[in-house]
């Protein structure tokens, strides 16, 4: 055992520990200290620090450091003095709870042992002392099971089996109907389980009990569940390292009807409403509430059942929130009319509640506006922007449960977490259906669209975890009987099998058979207000990536300050236009190409007018054609197959069906504008002309083949090869702007050139634009403003930023492409081949296509911004890659002084909030 | 006409003009001034400056500036004083030559007029004065033709017609047989030509003659020929802008047998030998020598014919070279026993002469060593390192392609790599002719004398591989249609069959039918000495890219200071190894893969030992496996065809030929180690097992398909996915080093990781290397030094250079890949699609895959060097991309402080010289 010189203690009394030092004491421990020190009635206890945990784990020793147990004993002595009880004493025994608690809340991840200190000698004392043999024996069997599970690693099922057999023998369904004798028998059976599972008798020595428990809690830090959780949530050692152990005097909510236990929130965590929220159970121990074995009552009923306690609880709730300036999620126990607070922590809540409480707490003066903005995780807002069930849908629910986490989802039923994961990997959407969930089901939550349990309340494990993930959850849907082994569930006389589709609505607890349409979410006034605050604070403007009127309208509603990226090729791809685009590609000469372009121009002009009007007077940035033109053609293989198929048809145009099929096929492929009447002559000729066209396409496709299309003939390279395409697009843009102007809409078109890598490319396009601009001004007799800019998505453009800024009035980082070429990763290839391995092995922390790679791509951006602004200090610079809507990336964009970020419509609110947060926390941001 | 305030004159007398100011006076004019001023006998004259030319061209005026003609007249007056002759005087006429001359020599690009000042009045005077009517009339008709052509734009043919008709009428073949009368008649006919072509009589006024001539010379600067020439040779305005006009008193080499005219070099420009070199004609005018109408005599014969003149000429030659400190190419005329020098300029010469004269002039003390090194264009050295076609051969090429790898070779055509190998084994010399080549053709490169492809550019696979092997290659010879299946190729209406002999010249891209003798290259002692001087001066070390013993040996002979890049995959591709590599790829599990690797390891070890020994004790840098593994497999299409073919065979194994073919095929594909005797049973089974293997390969090929292989699963990404491959390679390297050490060879292995883009990748490989290193040291009981480094070919690696330098001891820029990702140009796609257009339109000055893109890629390199050296000031940094052997790129590499460049063996001498030049001219180098 290594014994490094140790200057600070391992153990801290609740009376002394630093309530702010969550790293050392864990979140739970720090809060217990804090509450104790501000005078809240907390059962006395102490905390073993995370430092002790790490030292123990590092030494890989079997034993706890001897100094640690010395300190623990000293603190037990203090507890004995404070409570007047003695640990292990037969008559006046001190009973303890042992709980883990790391710096970050990891709900359900770590373990709890209650009633520690009971053994065959102290049990009779407890019976005598409480005069309640049933209570004492119940406490004892609970202790044996918890200790067996947590400290000795015996699975719950080993204990459930004898427990259930007794209930079955006695024909008892509710635990409350078990008698003291039953519990005695159960306790004995449990001791046998421990003996047979471990080969040793249950430890009688209370210090041995304590020591084993502490070791088990420490060890659980390296358990698979905990490690998985930390990986999933990207909890790094600097955020939480090791777990503390909280050792606290037991208080009992199950000593009689003047006892109760409950959990509460200072405000409603589902709606944010400012009313005390929670559930309680009379005569019960904490785990009964959480486990969902009995269905608890809402807290307002406490006012009837224990009026004084309700008053005290309200006061406690108030006190906690005012002190912590945050919604609190607390546990309490009432032992014989005395209210104890056992734990408090910042309340998890859904986004609706987070938004509403932020606004209201700020309005109440409890927190500042900045704090209000900072307490919302921007990603959470996504929940508010997700669809809910179509209220028009008239389908009747088949069963109803507690609305535990809002949102709606459909998917195939799976009955365990592993299956959920497998199905998800096969691309299936699934709903996890369980009697109740446990921490080890966590991967099932990640995999599933939503969770449905037949037991448990709104604070059950399932509810808490689902809420924290923003996934829909219905808990305690008692009308469902789940048979996990048979992989079926019964609802009335319906049997559901794995793979059947259901829909759940976490907002109201309804479960439906089959899939139900969803409708877009509503954007609450609270959120609007908060985001207005955000806009006032942020430096970054938030633009949207939108190619359609629909997307632009939505983005505008979400507060987009313009369009930062309109991809014109999306417009080319629309079904009625593609044939024109194909004609343009197949054109044998400039005249033919111009002909096709002349047909496309009014269509594009119309598109642009729509966008300009909905965004008026905000800027609309239009990117000229980018993708390689072979993307508009079918693949070689597809064409070969189609030709083969058509060739067959040609020779066998005989029966009605064949001909009909031919016609159908032809229509689908839009080669024939008008279908001749069935059987009309000319069927064969039509097929032949279709073949000819396909063959023409095939030749072109082969000619256009590229080894690395990502690095091929695209963007401005294309524009320079076929200047008439860009010319058409620029004309359509400026004509649209002119017409909008005439119709009284202020417009601000920004023309953006993709794939630029040399100054001369940009100059080349600029000349076209200036020429067309002059033409359009003359034709429409109007003065037209516009901006001309460059995508910065080619690495070389970053290096040439100083020169490009001589010509471009704005830059827009295309971080998708920039990331690909900075890493030399083809996204399509990387994500299928080696990226998973890279993430698994921590060679890359994040997928750089999702989160901006600040260290590499970010450096390129920083250089480009610096050099560009050196040429033109007023240079407008934005980002329009996918990462533009990602809060962490936004933080970096703010840091390097970008003017705007542009993201998809649903990310706009997230980006607005993130931009404000980035501004507010800029001083604390130091990227490598 | 604009008349800007003018402070400097337009016209300079030879006696005053600044002989150093070639920009102002043109090369010819400056030299005439210089020679005059150092006392060489130059016919008196003056120069009209390039400034006058530019002013005239800018004003777009019809007339010359009046100040100019005023100055010209003043200078004519001085000439008249100096010569005692009068311009336009009937009895004592001054005759002039008018010649253009810009700052850079553009031979044949600009025009000359002789005998200006003759007209119908002065002609009789000239006859009288010289007493030689024939001479005078000859001079007159020459003047009319030259003036007509140059000043009036009348084509030569118009004059040739009457000239030839007279000769025909008189049955005269040689001009020397024409009489004075003939010339009189010709002169009259010429005057008619001028009148009928211009509608005006020939100008009689001598000043009008002069003015028109000057205008014509000025105008020729913007003539098509001149503009084309400047574009072709990349002559920019800062190098030469406008032409000067040299006006000089006529002297005549054709006044009788005491007259002569000649051109000379101060040394032999073909061999460099220090003897006067040149040709002369007695009784002739300068143009007669150049025009080749009479065959001139070698200069040494002048010693017999005009001994005194030969002495004077020797003195002149000596004087010129000593004064200019450079081989001079001069023109002279002897008029009645008086030697005049008409012109001098630096002599053009071939590489052999350039090298020899540099060395000798330095040894003679005429120039310094630095000057000797600087006067050789490194690219020229290439001529010295490859066999070239016998210059005596007069054959015409049948087709032309891109000169992709220099050198000349003859051989029998073969159309695939296997045939090449078979033929080579039979002792045949072959030329591999393909549409394009692929990695699996590598054994064909080894077997062939040279490679010819009908597709692809100078950086196509064929070109790169051939260059790296120093074999001649012509790429993209589009005039050839290759039909691989029929084993024929068509060139126009000629069909070439396998076995037909052709000759290719990779220096100019010419393809000839039949065999043409070649001259072997000389690596002369002069060159060795010069390159040793270069090494002493240069900071940059020159390493080579070599994968084979042959290449390494050659590079070593050429002075490579080590191997900077050994591509291990080239070793994998060797025919007997490919099956093992394929087994490795197809391995179903690690054990199978390890099995294949265990067979490869001793082979690789052997390869490395060879390289270590030939380079001992210089460093050998080995790059771990880089290309995506699908490159080792045939294409999907090929496999499909092979399977189809085999399926056919399976069902029709009946005739002898089929079976033989099957056996042959099987042998080729190395699936069968032993061929059963013909007709042996089991043929069908063999086919079936071959099919099974092919199908396995097909599945793998499909699985490995990548959208953008350039950005795909390769380099270190592969090494991390299959660590056992890198582990094998590292072990082979270090075992080879250990064994060489034991055998007494000093070795310095450097292990290099390709495609690195994150620090952790490098760390990952470093751990493997350290582990294997420890193992090998133990196994061999030896202390082994090695270096560990990173390719810097991924953009992100440049941005992370500071962190990579914590792990890497050296960096090597892979500028091929770096250029691709910096530009987002796929080389294969760009060179076939848009790069030609880009170069044509001057969007890119150079192909960045040939010349390092200093402005973009160069910036990335500069950043990487800076940041890397900030971490580790001793960091060794080199470049191993193709551009590493390019002098302009080497200049940049020197500028940013690289430690070494690495290039293919034949580029090593070039690089050595370029490195010295870069050092010598660093002070004048300011890249943007």
């Amino acid at each position: 055992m290594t014994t490094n010189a140790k200057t600070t203690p391992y153990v801290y009394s609740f009376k002394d520990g630093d309530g702010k030092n969550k790293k050392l004491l864990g979140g739970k421990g720090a809060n217990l200290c804090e509450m104790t020190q501000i005078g809240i009635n907390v059962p006395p206890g102490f905390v073993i620090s995370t430092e002790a945990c790490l030292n123990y784990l590092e030494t890989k020793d079997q034993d706890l450091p001897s100094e640690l147990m010395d300190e623990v004993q000293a603190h037990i002595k203090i507890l004995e003095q404070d409570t007047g009880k003695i640990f292990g004493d037969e008559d006046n025994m001190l009973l303890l709870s042992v709980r883990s608690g790391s710096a970050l809340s990891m709900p359900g991840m770590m373990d709890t042992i209650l009633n520690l200190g009971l053994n065959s000698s102290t049990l009779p004392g407890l019976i005598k002392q409480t005069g309640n043999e049933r209570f004492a024996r119940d406490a004892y069997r609970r202790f044996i099971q918890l200790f067996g599970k947590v400290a000795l690693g015996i699975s719950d099922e080993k204990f459930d089996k004898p427990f259930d057999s007794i209930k079955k023998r006695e024909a008892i369904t509710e635990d409350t109907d078990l008698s003291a004798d039953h519990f005695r028998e159960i306790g004995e059976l449990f001791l046998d389980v421990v003996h047979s599972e471990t080969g040793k008798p249950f430890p009688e020595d209370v210090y041995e009990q304590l020591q084993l428990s502490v070791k088990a809690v420490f060890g659980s830090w390296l358990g698979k569940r905990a490690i998985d959780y930390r990986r999933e949530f990207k909890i790094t050692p600097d955020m939480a390292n090791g777990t503390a152990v909280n050792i606290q005097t037991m208080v009992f909510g199950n000593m009689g009807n003047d006892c109760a236990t409950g959990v509460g929130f200072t405000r409603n965590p589902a709606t944010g409403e400012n009313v005390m929220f929670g559930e309680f159970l009379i005569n019960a121990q904490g785990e009964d509430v959480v486990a969902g074995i009995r269905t608890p009552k809402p807290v307002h009923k406490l006012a009837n059942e224990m009026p004084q306690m309700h008053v005290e609880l309200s006061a406690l709730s108030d006190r906690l929130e005012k002190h912590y300036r945050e919604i609190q999620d607390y546990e309490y126990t009432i032992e014989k009319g005395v209210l104890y607070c056992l734990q408090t922590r910042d309340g998890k809540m859904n986004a609706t509640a987070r938004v509403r409480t932020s606004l209201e707490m700020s309005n109440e003066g409890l927190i500042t506006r900045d704090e209000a903005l900072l307490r919302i995780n921007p990603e959470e807002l996504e929940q508010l922007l997700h669809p809910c069930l179509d209220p028009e849908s008239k389908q009747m629910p088949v069963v109803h449960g507690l609305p535990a986490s809002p949102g709606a989802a459909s998917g195939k039923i799976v009955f365990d977490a592993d299956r959920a994961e497998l199905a998800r990997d096969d691309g299936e959407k699934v709903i996890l259906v369980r009697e109740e969930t446990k921490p080890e089901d966590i991967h099932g939550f990640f995999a599933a669209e939503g969770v449905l349990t037949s037991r448990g309340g709104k604070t059950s494990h399932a509810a808490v975890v689902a809420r924290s993930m923003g996934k829909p959850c219905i808990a305690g849907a008692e009308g469902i009987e789940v048979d996990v082994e048979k992989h079926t569930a019964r609802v009335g006389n319906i049997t559901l099998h794995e793979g059947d589709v259901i829909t759940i609505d976490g907002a109201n607890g309804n479960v439906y058979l089959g899939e139900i349409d969803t409708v877009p979410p509503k954007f609450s006034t609270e959120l609007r207000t908060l985001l207005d605050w955000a806009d006032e604070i942020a430096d970054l403007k938030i633009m949207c990536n939108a190619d359609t009127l629909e997307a632009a309208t939505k983005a505008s509603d979400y507060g987009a300050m313009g369009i930062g990226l309109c991809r014109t090729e999306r417009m080319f791809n629309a079904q009625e236009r593609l044939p024109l685009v194909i004609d343009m590609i197949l054109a044998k000469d400039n005249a033919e190409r111009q002909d096709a372009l002349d047909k496309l121009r009014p269509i594009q002009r119309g598109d642009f007018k729509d966008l300009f009007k909905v965004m008026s007077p905000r800027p609309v940035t239009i990117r000229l054609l980018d993708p390689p033109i072979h993307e508009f053609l079918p693949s070689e293989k597809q064409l070969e197959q189609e030709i083969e198929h058509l060739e067959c048809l040609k020779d066998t145009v005989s029966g009605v069906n064949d001909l009909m099929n031919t016609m159908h096929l032809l229509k689908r492929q839009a080669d024939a504008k008008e279908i001749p009447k069935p059987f009309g002559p000319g069927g064969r000729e039509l097929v032949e002309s279709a073949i000819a066209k396909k063959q023409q396409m095939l030749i072109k496709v082969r000619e256009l083949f590229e080894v690395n299309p990502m690095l091929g003939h695209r963007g401005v390279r294309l524009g320079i090869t076929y200047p008439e395409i860009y010319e058409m697009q620029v004309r359509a843009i400026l004509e649209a702007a002119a017409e909008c102007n005439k119709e009284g809409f202020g417009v601000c078109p920004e023309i953006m050139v993709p794939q630029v890598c040399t100054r001369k490319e940009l100059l080349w396009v600029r000349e076209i634009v200036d020429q067309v601009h002059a033409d359009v001004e003359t034709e429409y007799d109007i003065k037209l403003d516009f901006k001309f800019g460059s995508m910065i998505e080619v690495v070389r453009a970053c290096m040439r930023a100083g020169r490009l800024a001589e010509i471009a009035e704005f830059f827009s980082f295309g971080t998708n492409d920039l990331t690909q070429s900075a890493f030399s990763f083809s996204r399509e290839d990387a994500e299928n081949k080696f990226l998973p391995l890279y993430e698994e092995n921590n060679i890359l922390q994040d997928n750089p296509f999702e989160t901006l790679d600040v260290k590499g791509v970010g450096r390129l951006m920083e250089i480009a911004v610096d050099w560009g602004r050196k040429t033109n200090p007023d240079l407008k610079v934005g980002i329009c890659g996918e990462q533009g809507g990602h809060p962490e990336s936004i933080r970096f964009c703010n840091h390097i002084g970008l003017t705007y970020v542009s993201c998809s419509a649903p990310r706009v609110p997230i980006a607005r909030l993130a931009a404000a947060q980035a501004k507010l926390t800029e001083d604390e941001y130091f990227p490598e």
Side-chain angles (χ1 to χ4, degrees), chain A:
Chain A
M1 190 166 97
T2 59
T3 48
N4 294 331
K6 196 167 77 70
T7 55
T8 53
Y10 278 141
V11 181
Y12 297 84
S13 163
F14 292 169
K15 292 182 285 188
D16 304 323
D18 175 3
K20 302 287 175 279
N21 198 344
K22 291 189 177 179
K23 250 189 117 162
L24 184 70
L25 303 179
K28 199 181 288 168
N31 280 335
L32 286 168
C33 294
E34 182 97 353
M35 287 196 291
T36 303
Q37 291 162 40
I38 63 171
I40 287 172
N41 192 25
V42 174
F46 55 87
V47 197
I48 305 177
S49 75
T50 57
E51 216 168 73
C53 171
L54 292 178
N55 279 3
Y56 167 69
L57 293 175
E58 263 164 35
T59 58
K60 288 172 187 155
D61 220 317
Q62 283 302 308
D63 293 320
L64 295 171
S66 59
E67 311 102 298
L68 172 58
M69 284 317 289
D70 292 347
E71 287 185 41
V72 167
Q73 285 190 12
H75 277 274
I76 294 276
K77 288 281 166 283
I78 300 172
L79 275 193
E80 288 172 347
Q81 283 161 23
D82 288 350
T83 58
K85 297 177 177 175
I86 309 291
F87 190 45
D89 189 274
E90 293 183 8
D91 299 320
N92 184 25
M93 75 295 309
L94 175 65
L95 297 182
L96 301 173
S97 71
V98 177
R99 296 187 207 198
S100 67
S102 73
L104 284 187
S105 163
M106 303 187 192
M109 283 296 105
M110 311 299 283
D111 299 295
T112 300
I113 299 170
L114 299 177
N115 307 336
L116 189 136
L118 281 178
N119 56 22
S120 57
S121 333
T122 55
L123 178 62
L126 185 63
I127 295 171
K128 201 162 79 189
Q129 200 184 43
T130 59
N132 186 338
E133 180 176 355
R134 185 184 176 284
F135 157 77
R137 294 202 179 274
D138 183 18
Y140 189 39
R141 69 93 194 175
R142 284 173 193 261
F143 170 54
I144 299 166
Q145 178 167 0
L146 282 170
F147 186 88
K149 178 181 164 191
V150 174
L152 305 174
I154 302 166
S155 74
D156 269 333
E157 290 88 71
K158 301 283 177 194
F159 296 105
D160 290 347
K161 220 167 139 188
F163 190 80
D164 290 342
S165 71
I166 300 287
K167 277 167 82 179
K168 197 169 175 187
R169 190 189 69 198
E170 304 291 330
I172 286 171
T173 54
E174 296 297 315
D175 292 1
T176 41
D177 294 336
L178 290 166
S179 68
D181 268 358
H182 293 138
F183 281 126
R184 184 187 43 72
E185 193 179 351
I186 289 167
E188 281 157 11
L189 288 170
F190 278 12
L191 290 173
D192 290 346
V193 168
V194 169
H195 202 147
S196 71
E197 289 295 318
T198 64
K200 283 186 246 171
F202 189 84
E204 286 282 297
D205 179 80
V206 294
Y207 275 103
E208 187 187 349
Q209 289 175 357
L210 187 56
Q211 193 158 347
L212 285 171
S213 302
V214 171
K215 276 163 68 170
V217 172
F218 281 173
S220 75
W221 180 254
L222 295 184
K224 185 178 177 316
R225 274 190 335 191
I227 289 175
D228 286 352
Y229 187 94
R230 291 199 292 275
R231 191 176 48 224
E232 183 66 28
F233 287 95
K234 297 184 176 160
I235 296 173
T236 55
D238 60 298
M239 294 158 76
N241 205 4
T243 180
V245 184
N246 300 292
I247 294 168
Q248 192 171 17
T249 314
M250 282 298 301
V251 288
F252 295 96
N254 57 345
M255 272 183 158
N257 287 334
D258 53 352
C259 298
T261 190
V263 297
F265 281 82
T266 56
R267 303 192 189 203
N268 184 322
T271 65
E273 195 188 358
N274 189 3
V275 290
M276 193 163 68
F277 177 88
E279 294 166 322
F280 70 97
L281 277 173
I282 302 276
N283 196 10
Q285 216 170 26
E287 56 171 343
D288 299 335
V289 182
V290 182
I293 294 167
R294 284 163 60 192
T295 301
K297 295 176 184 173
V299 68
H300 66 84
K301 295 211 170 157
L302 191 65
N304 306 328
E305 306 198 11
M306 295 180 171
Q308 173 58 23
M309 287 297 105
H310 186 260
V311 170
E312 285 184 25
L313 189 64
S314 293
L316 172 67
S317 173
D318 230 47
R319 180 88 195 269
L320 286 173
E321 193 179 279
K322 289 228 161 63
H323 179 75
Y324 284 103
R325 303 170 73 238
E326 180 53 285
I327 316 303
Q328 292 299 298
D329 165 5
Y330 51 90
E331 291 179 19
Y332 59 91
T333 286
I334 297 168
E335 187 187 85
K336 297 188 174 297
V338 180
L339 174 65
Y340 293 93
C341 186
L342 301 186
Q343 176 181 334
T344 192
R345 61 184 174 196
D346 290 348
K348 286 185 191 294
M349 63 197 95
N350 67 23
T352 308
R354 179 74 67 184
V355 167
R356 178 168 171 182
T357 56
S358 298
L359 189 86
E360 293 184 354
M361 283 164 71
S362 172
N363 287 340
E364 289 159 21
L366 195 58
I367 58 176
T368 65
R369 280 191 179 185
D370 290 357
E371 285 169 329
L373 289 170
L374 284 171
R375 73 189 277 283
I376 305 168
N377 176 351
E379 292 287 3
E380 279 184 316
L381 297 186
E382 190 134 35
Q383 293 173 29
L384 302 181
L385 307 169
H386 276 320
C388 54
L389 285 189
D390 184 357
E392 300 300 304
S393 154
K394 300 291 178 214
Q395 244 184 290
M396 291 298 292
V398 287
V399 68
H400 185 83
L402 298 171
S405 176
S410 299
K412 292 185 175 175
I413 295 175
V414 288
F415 291 101
D416 69 52
D418 294 336
R419 297 259 186 172
E421 211 170 36
L422 289 173
R424 188 264 322 267
D425 291 345
D426 288 345
E428 301 280 9
K429 292 185 164 190
V430 295
I431 306 288
L432 178 62
V433 178
R434 303 278 294 164
E435 275 188 295
E436 57 190 331
T437 62
K438 294 196 171 176
E440 53 263 39
D441 295 327
I442 192 84
H443 55 296
F445 281 76
F446 291 122
E449 302 299 306
V451 178
L452 169 61
T453 67
S454 59
R455 292 207 225 149
K458 283 196 203 176
T459 43
S460 63
H461 175 262
V464 171
V465 174
R467 261 204 307 278
S468 77
M469 294 186 184
K471 295 204 172 179
C473 175
I474 296 174
E478 293 177 350
I480 298 182
E481 284 169 61
V482 178
D483 187 330
V484 173
E485 285 191 9
K486 285 196 188 150
H487 292 283
T488 58
R490 284 190 66 77
V491 182
N493 51 7
I494 306 167
T495 302
L496 298 173
H497 297 89
E498 194 169 276
D500 290 347
V501 173
I502 60 169
T503 299
I504 61 171
D505 186 347
N508 55 25
N510 286 337
V511 181
Y512 305 84
L513 296 185
E515 187 165 350
I516 298 180
D517 286 342
T518 53
V519 285
K522 281 184 234 105
F523 205 66
S524 70
T525 44
E526 285 92 348
L527 181 55
R528 272 182 211 284
T529 307
L530 264 169
L531 292 180
D532 287 344
W533 294 356
D535 292 348
E536 280 168 30
I537 284 165
D539 287 335
L540 278 172
K541 303 284 169 225
I542 311 302
M543 314 275 277
C544 66
N545 299 350
D547 320 317
T548 61
L549 181 58
E550 192 190 354
T553 308
K554 191 187 213 177
S556 181
D557 183 45
Y558 284 173
M561 302 165 200
I563 292 178
L565 174 64
C566 163
R567 306 171 187 85
T568 49
E569 57 272 17
R570 299 272 168 99
M571 299 166 169
F572 276 19
N573 263 320
Q575 209 196 350
E576 73 281 13
R577 302 166 184 190
L578 198 52
L580 290 175
V581 175
I582 290 175
D583 283 348
M584 174 189 86
I585 295 171
L586 298 182
K588 278 187 288 294
D589 50 36
N590 283 1
E592 267 192 36
R593 186 172 307 113
Q594 196 57 54
D595 193 48
L597 288 168
D598 287 344
K599 287 180 191 142
L600 277 169
R601 178 154 56 95
I603 300 175
Q604 286 241 303
R605 184 172 58 218
D607 293 330
F608 296 141
K609 283 182 71 174
D610 285 350
L611 296 181
F612 287 154
K613 285 182 185 174
V614 73
M615 278 293 159
S616 172
R618 291 162 288 182
V620 174
T621 314
I622 294 160
R623 180 177 76 184
L624 300 178
L625 190 68
D626 181 41
I629 53 178
H630 54 66
E631 282 196 10
F632 297 106
L633 296 174
S635 71
E636 183 177 3
K637 205 157 224 166
Q638 193 183 331
L639 279 169
E640 283 168 352
Q641 282 169 356
E642 283 175 4
I643 289 171
E644 199 179 323
H645 183 59
L646 285 167
E647 289 284 359
C648 286
L649 271 180
K650 189 177 73 179
D651 295 337
T652 60
V653 170
S654 53
V656 178
N657 287 335
D658 270 359
L659 196 54
M660 293 297 283
N661 279 339
T662 313
M663 299 301 126
H664 187 66
L665 187 76
L666 289 170
K667 182 174 188 202
R668 262 208 0 247
Q669 291 157 354
D671 292 318
K673 303 263 184 285
E674 280 287 309
I675 300 205
K677 298 288 166 215
F679 302 104
R684 190 184 161 91
E685 287 68 20
L686 260 172
V687 180
E688 278 171 350
S689 96
I691 290 175
K693 181 108 183 193
K694 297 282 175 202
Q695 264 158 348
Q696 215 186 333
M697 285 161 78
L698 185 59
I699 290 166
K700 196 75 187 177
V701 163
R702 286 178 180 154
E703 181 189 319
L704 293 174
F705 169 79
E706 292 183 315
V707 183
N708 295 293
M710 157 73 202
L711 306 175
H713 195 179
R714 48 185 295 228
V716 68
R717 275 105 78 181
L718 211 59
I720 287 175
T721 321
Y722 307 107
E724 53 279 11
I725 299 179
Y726 274 19
E727 200 266 334
M728 178 281 281
Q729 293 198 301
V730 171
R731 192 170 292 275
I733 293 166
L734 294 174
E735 287 176 353
E739 292 182 9
C740 285
N741 257 338
K742 295 258 179 196
E743 295 170 35
F745 290 91
V747 288
C748 194
E750 309 203 340
I751 296 171
M752 183 159 75
V753 187
Q755 298 293 334
V756 170
C757 93
T758 82
R759 186 175 154 273
K760 290 225 173 126
E761 287 170 334
L762 204 55
L763 211 51
W764 176 290
V765 181
R766 173 95 220 190
E767 276 164 18
I768 292 176
V769 171
D770 286 342
Q771 184 54 54
V772 172
H773 180 243
D775 290 353
V776 173
E777 281 197 336
T778 309
E779 279 160 33
Y780 285 83
D781 187 23
I782 203 170
K783 179 96 190 63
L784 260 186
D785 282 336
F786 73 99
K787 277 198 163 66
F788 180 79
S790 176
M791 287 286 286
I792 304 288
E793 57 190 331
V794 172
V795 171
R796 193 176 187 277
C798 297
M799 295 294 111
R800 302 298 293 153
R803 301 303 304 276
L804 296 181
E806 294 169 1
I807 303 153
E809 291 155 283
F810 65 93
F811 283 175
S812 179
F813 287 108
T815 44
N816 298 346
D817 275 19
L818 201 55
T819 301
Q820 295 196 73
S821 39
F823 278 84
S824 287
F825 287 0
S826 160
R827 180 169 187 175
E828 289 155 288
D829 300 322
E831 288 188 342
N832 291 328
K833 302 244 154 75
F834 52 88
L835 258 193
L837 182 74
Y838 266 45
E839 291 186 76
E840 209 172 285
N841 286 294
N842 210 22
I843 292 171
L844 280 173
Q845 271 80 46
D846 298 300
N847 178 339
F849 299 112
E850 292 169 2
T851 310
L852 188 68
D853 163 49
V854 167
K855 298 175 184 175
V857 177
R859 287 269 178 115
L860 285 169
M861 292 171 67
E862 215 171 344
I863 290 171
V865 172
D866 281 359
W867 293 355
R869 292 249 172 89
K870 212 169 275 172
T871 300
N872 173 9
D874 297 328
L875 189 72
K876 183 170 152 183
V877 188
I879 172 177
C880 65
E882 280 197 31
Q883 298 96 332
H886 185 278
E888 199 52 37
S889 312
I890 289 171
R891 208 170 182 202
F892 181 76
C893 292
N894 179 73
H895 177 68
I896 62 170
L898 294 200
T899 322
Y900 69 90
V901 302
S902 187
C903 54
S904 64
R907 305 292 297 180
V908 166
I910 295 164
R912 289 168 72 193
L913 179 57
Q917 291 186 347
K919 174 71 182 298
L920 290 170
T921 59
E922 170 60 18
D923 290 347
E924 303 149 28
Y925 184 57
F926 305 103
E928 184 188 334

